[in-house]
Amino acid sequence: MEDFRIPVGERASEGVDWVVENLGSLFDWLRSVFVGMYESVNWVLSTPPAIVVIITIVVLGLFARGWTFAVASALGLLLIVGMDQWDNAMNTLALVLVAATIAIVLAIPLGIAAAKVRPVSIVVRPVMDFLQTMPAFVYLIPALLLFRVGVAPGIVATIIFAMAPGVRLTELGIRGVDRETVEAGQAFGATPGRILRQIQLPLALPSIMAGINQVIMLSLSMVVIAGLVGAGGLGGDVITSLNRLDTALGVEAGLSVVILAMLLDRFTSAFGERRGLYAALRKGRPAVGNV
Amino acid sequence: MSSNEIVLKAQGLYKVFGPKPDAAIKKIQGGAPRDKIGANNTAAVIDASFEVQRGEIFVVMGLSGSGKSTLIRMLNGLWEPTAGTVDILGDTLTGVSARKLRNIRETRVSMVFQQFALLPHRSVLDNVAYGLEIRKMPRAQRIERARKYISMVGLDGWEDKYPKELSGGMQQRVGLARALAADTDVLLMDEAFSALDPLIRREMQEQLIELQSELDKTIIFITHDLNEAMFIGDRIAVMRDGRIVQIGTPEEILTDPANEYVSQFVQDVDRARVLTASAVMQPPAALMQLPGGPRKALRIMREQQTSACFVVDRHRKLLGAVTDREALSLLRRGEESLTDHLSEAAQTTPDTLLAELFIPAVESVLPLAVVDERGRLQGVVPRVVLLAALGGEHEAGVNAQPIPPALAPSVVEDALSADSGPDVKPVSTASTVQPQEEDN
């Protein structure tokens, strides 16, 4: 048995090398796209004074969930400013927003396809298992080789790592829509596209929103790890504090991550529930799907 | 209630779920039992054929697993039959393109679902207008139409509510309004009232019948509840293990079950609420047609051994009744005409349920007269027939011994004065009770 060795790693490495050599220009283009997106979002978040961004977030929070949440987010964001992590936090937020948006844009159609077409589901499921369970650091290696140091490998690794729950919960949500309600659409002569738009997606929305929430949360955790490949932001400080055994910096950067995480989680979970001022303005309209 | 136009026609419908449906059908046609057609094959519907006429409520009745839900879903192509055809007004549903099928569903056949299947994120108004929206009717027009049907099912004022703000019964009214608003030729109802409370269910059944008589819809109604089937169905198809075992009117199913299964099934039915006067009525025994006087009436009563007789005019229109006592006293007074001395006979219509006949039957000395809408005498329902019908064999009522006829008072008086023996007395006292009752 000592000679028994399947060179999986070697082959994978050769594959990546081949891609780097032959498809280098494609990845350069992708890199510039990702970097461009990140820089635009980051510009929007980082250019205005902190207080303007904070007020904007607080107002959004007021609409999404109500007063308590608005006050709590104001306090949290002020704490980040007080810990001198504001710029890092905005960099990280920009990374999360870009990566999560791309992940969601890929995940939802894939989830719909998996729900509608059985073979797609059969293929997608193990792929999602693979993406979700492979240790997150491992993605960084090929990402680093393909996209070089910077935000691009961070974004790519984040997309891959965070996509799975978006696909899964979309598929689950659409499959879980009451069969009779779908039949009702069919029985009145609706086309499959109309049934998807008017029945399946609205009724699956709570599940899809849960998926989006998960994607964003996973993105945030991966973005911190992406600090290892020079993605910067809070992740950069976390890595630095680890290297220097700098407890003070570690706590401040870590706490900022926690505050961002809670903010993002509460925001995204509120969308499916229709609470706060937004709901009050559209009085009487019940939440979708909670039947 | 129905013209003879065939609206929906199902011929030789089969639905087999499983890997080899066609082979399974061959086996069934070759006589194989339902459970021996291959490991993973399930024959949900086997050789179902029937025709539904315009304006009819056709009920498919069976226990769960009998294939009735599968059957109804083949009638609008939600499920493609493994074999057989479905035609709705000449349009074949089977083996057509998806576009054609959608077109047929839009215009020909709509559906009401067991769990209502409303769209929870749309208001009642938008739910009801859903079918019209699919048909691309302009918004203003479809809203107007939806309001009309919402009002028809009695939900005025609830247009802007959402389904979950409504009770189950109200939600199903929305489902019904949605199906009616689509204005299709056929309305499929899949266990539509089964999820409702019994009281609401009865209310909905009554409303459905009312709407049906108003709109003259052709309805195919699925249920597992025999009483419901009997109550609303013009005709009933009884299903068992995927096959239709009998098709007939509620009365036919009840009085002439096709096999042991059906007869066991119907034994618990409340017959008094299914059978109507016309199903149990008999030809009147004592009947006098005008012209004629008391003498003729007495003769008829003597021949028929009854104590009273119905009087009709030349067109068989019921004028009333006369008892032997009255006829006798008229005869003694020398009256030639009966017309001014007729007593009113208790009447009912052919469609009246037996349950509604008991009290009138008790209150009337004569059998109940069954008259049509023009007042013509169709038949009579004696009390014995009512009792026999409840026992499940209304034929028995026909053979029942008539109550011994009342004797003419003169005869009784003669007998009493002559003291001709004790055995006459009980007969006369028992039977003379009847005319006295009538005086009340």
Side-chain angles (χ1 to χ4, degrees):
Chain A
M1 284 300 282
E2 276 182 21
D3 296 341
F4 182 74
R5 176 78 169 85
I6 304 174
V8 174
E10 212 172 298
R11 293 285 167 276
S13 165
E14 281 168 20
V16 172
D17 287 346
W18 185 88
V19 170
V20 173
E21 237 167 79
N22 294 281
L23 300 174
S25 54
L26 171 69
F27 285 96
D28 281 347
W29 177 77
L30 274 177
R31 176 191 159 89
S32 61
V33 170
F34 290 143
V35 171
M37 286 172 77
Y38 164 74
E39 277 172 357
S40 332
V41 176
N42 194 34
W43 182 83
V44 171
L45 291 172
S46 302
T47 317
I51 193 69
V52 174
V53 179
I54 291 175
I55 288 172
T56 312
I57 292 175
V58 167
V59 169
L60 287 176
L62 185 61
F63 270 85
R65 291 186 79 97
W67 287 105
T68 329
F69 176 61
V71 171
S73 44
L75 292 176
L77 291 169
L78 286 172
L79 181 60
I80 293 179
V81 176
M83 292 187 297
D84 196 22
Q85 289 290 350
W86 182 255
D87 288 336
N88 280 339
M90 287 306 106
N91 293 347
T92 297
L93 190 57
L95 265 177
V96 169
L97 290 179
V98 170
T101 305
I102 296 171
I104 289 164
V105 165
L106 294 175
I108 290 178
L110 199 55
I112 293 170
K116 290 242 167 191
V117 189
R118 223 184 133 59
V120 175
S121 173
I122 291 169
V123 174
V124 160
R125 192 164 297 180
V127 172
M128 288 302 134
D129 286 338
F130 177 91
L131 293 184
Q132 217 174 1
T133 48
M134 182 67 103
F137 297 95
V138 179
Y139 295 125
L140 291 175
I141 306 161
L144 202 53
L145 291 174
L146 293 170
F147 294 99
R148 289 169 293 173
V149 175
V151 291
I155 289 174
V156 170
T158 304
I159 292 169
I160 293 171
F161 179 70
M163 214 171 91
V167 178
R168 284 221 169 106
L169 284 164
T170 302
E171 181 183 352
L172 203 68
I174 288 179
R175 281 187 191 278
V177 170
D178 175 46
R179 206 188 55 144
E180 266 198 349
T181 313
V182 176
E183 278 183 342
Q186 294 170 335
F188 285 94
T191 57
R194 185 187 273 271
I195 291 173
L196 181 67
R197 266 185 297 115
Q198 294 187 330
I199 298 177
Q200 289 173 315
L201 285 180
L203 294 197
L205 198 60
S207 177
I208 295 174
M209 289 313 297
I212 290 176
N213 176 268
Q214 285 299 300
V215 168
I216 292 177
M217 299 312 283
L218 282 181
S219 298
L220 187 63
S221 66
M222 187 62 195
V223 156
V224 174
I225 295 170
L228 282 173
V229 291
L234 295 171
D237 268 12
V238 170
I239 305 298
T240 312
S241 69
L242 188 64
N243 289 339
R244 293 196 207 142
L245 288 179
D246 184 343
T247 313
L249 184 64
V251 167
E252 285 179 353
L255 211 52
S256 303
V257 171
V258 171
I259 291 167
L260 270 191
M262 288 173 69
L263 259 178
L264 287 170
D265 177 62
R266 299 302 186 272
F267 258 112
T268 49
S269 62
F271 292 150
E273 297 171 14
R274 294 186 192 275
R275 294 169 26 174
L277 208 56
Y278 172 77
L281 290 176
R282 307 191 59 171
K283 208 171 61 183
R285 199 175 164 103
V288 154
N290 302 339
V291 192
Chain B
M1 64 189 77
S2 57
S3 60
N4 287 327
E5 187 190 2
I6 302 296
V7 173
L8 184 143
K9 186 171 175 181
Q11 262 181 316
L13 282 181
Y14 282 84
K15 182 69 186 179
V16 178
F17 296 104
K20 289 177 181 169
D22 293 321
I25 287 182
K26 285 218 175 65
K27 280 186 192 163
I28 292 171
Q29 284 168 342
R34 192 190 187 210
D35 52 354
K36 294 219 169 76
I37 52 167
N40 296 316
N41 291 328
T42 315
V45 174
I46 301 167
D47 197 19
S49 301
F50 55 90
E51 289 176 347
V52 183
Q53 295 174 347
R54 185 173 289 285
E56 187 178 29
I57 301 186
F58 185 83
V59 175
V60 179
M61 211 268 327
L63 299 179
S64 55
S66 62
K68 55 192 192 307
S69 279
T70 312
L71 179 64
I72 200 175
R73 279 168 172 72
M74 289 195 282
L75 300 183
N76 65 352
L78 284 180
W79 286 346
E80 173 86 358
T82 317
T85 56
V86 176
D87 289 85
I88 299 180
L89 289 168
D91 281 330
T92 303
L93 241 77
T94 31
V96 297
S97 70
R99 177 188 290 270
K100 171 80 180 155
L101 187 60
R102 282 199 296 272
N103 196 294
I104 292 174
R105 287 170 180 163
E106 274 178 32
T107 55
R108 293 273 190 244
V109 50
S110 56
M111 190 162 175
V112 180
F113 293 85
Q114 180 171 7
Q115 299 296 337
F116 325 135
L118 301 176
L119 308 187
H121 53 296
R122 286 172 163 237
S123 67
V124 167
L125 194 59
D126 286 337
N127 262 294
V128 174
Y130 184 63
L132 306 172
E133 181 185 330
I134 291 170
R135 228 189 276 173
K136 299 188 177 68
M137 184 183 278
R139 181 161 173 89
Q141 202 180 336
R142 66 175 191 250
I143 292 300
E144 187 195 327
R145 179 111 143 234
R147 282 189 194 282
K148 180 181 138 196
Y149 282 94
I150 288 170
S151 164
M152 195 175 281
V153 298
L155 284 179
D156 288 301
W158 293 84
E159 290 89 347
D160 297 324
K161 300 283 184 199
Y162 285 83
K164 77 170 186 182
E165 300 173 80
L166 271 58
S167 69
M170 291 165 94
Q171 289 190 36
Q172 193 57 300
R173 275 167 217 257
V174 177
L176 186 58
R178 175 174 66 179
L180 289 174
D183 197 23
T184 52
D185 300 284
V186 180
L187 186 59
L188 302 179
M189 302 185 73
D190 179 24
E191 299 258 14
F193 303 149
S194 300
L196 306 176
D197 296 335
L199 284 178
I200 308 285
R201 194 184 308 164
R202 175 49 67 130
E203 201 178 301
M204 293 290 286
Q205 290 165 355
E206 280 162 4
Q207 187 175 27
L208 180 70
I209 290 174
E210 203 175 297
L211 284 170
Q212 200 270 347
S213 62
E214 200 174 315
L215 303 169
D216 201 31
K217 284 277 168 193
T218 307
I219 299 173
I220 298 178
F221 193 102
I222 301 282
T223 183
H224 65 263
D225 178 351
L226 187 62
N227 280 311
E228 181 169 73
M230 294 275 170
F231 183 68
I232 63 173
D234 292 321
R235 282 193 303 147
I236 299 173
V238 182
M239 280 190 88
R240 185 198 189 186
D241 293 345
R243 291 178 195 272
I244 296 180
V245 291
Q246 185 173 10
I247 299 182
T249 64
E251 289 168 6
E252 282 166 8
I253 302 264
L254 205 50
T255 57
D256 186 21
N259 59 27
E260 190 63 18
Y261 177 75
V262 180
S263 66
Q264 275 188 4
F265 215 100
V266 299
Q267 71 186 7
D268 293 332
V269 168
D270 185 353
R271 282 152 206 280
R273 296 196 178 278
V274 175
L275 294 176
T276 56
S278 62
V280 300
M281 69 185 181
Q282 298 176 353
L287 178 68
M288 190 187 111
Q289 199 159 16
L290 289 181
R295 189 176 298 276
K296 183 177 174 188
L298 270 176
R299 195 179 306 123
I300 288 172
M301 281 184 261
R302 193 182 61 203
E303 278 165 14
Q304 299 297 332
Q305 298 194 318
T306 56
S307 61
C309 105
F310 292 104
V311 179
V312 296
D313 70 4
R314 271 194 208 84
H315 307 290
R316 217 179 153 80
K317 189 170 177 324
L318 183 66
L319 300 172
V322 62
T323 62
D324 51 359
R325 273 188 158 191
E326 279 169 347
L328 196 60
S329 76
L330 287 173
L331 190 64
R332 283 180 179 159
R333 277 189 274 145
E335 293 265 0
E336 285 300 315
S337 168
L338 276 175
T339 37
D340 298 333
H341 305 279
L342 292 175
S343 50
E344 209 173 301
Q347 299 184 1
T348 183
T349 59
D351 295 334
T352 309
L353 294 173
L354 295 194
E356 292 160 32
L357 296 183
F358 289 104
I359 299 302
V362 166
E363 288 170 348
S364 164
V365 55
L366 280 169
L368 290 172
V370 182
V371 297
D372 65 12
E373 65 272 19
R374 281 192 274 172
R376 290 178 308 188
L377 184 65
Q378 301 287 302
V380 297
V381 181
R383 286 178 217 167
V384 280
V385 166
L386 275 182
L387 290 176
L390 282 189
E393 293 177 53
H394 71 275
E395 302 301 332
V398 179
N399 305 323
Q401 290 297 315
I403 298 168
L407 296 168
S410 57
V411 180
V412 179
E413 278 156 26
D414 290 349
L416 286 174
S417 57
D419 196 24
S420 58
D423 54 333
V424 180
K425 260 186 182 168
V427 176
S428 54
T429 44
S431 49
T432 45
V433 167
Q434 284 188 358
Q436 283 165 1
E437 229 176 53
E438 191 202 23
D439 293 340
N440 302 334

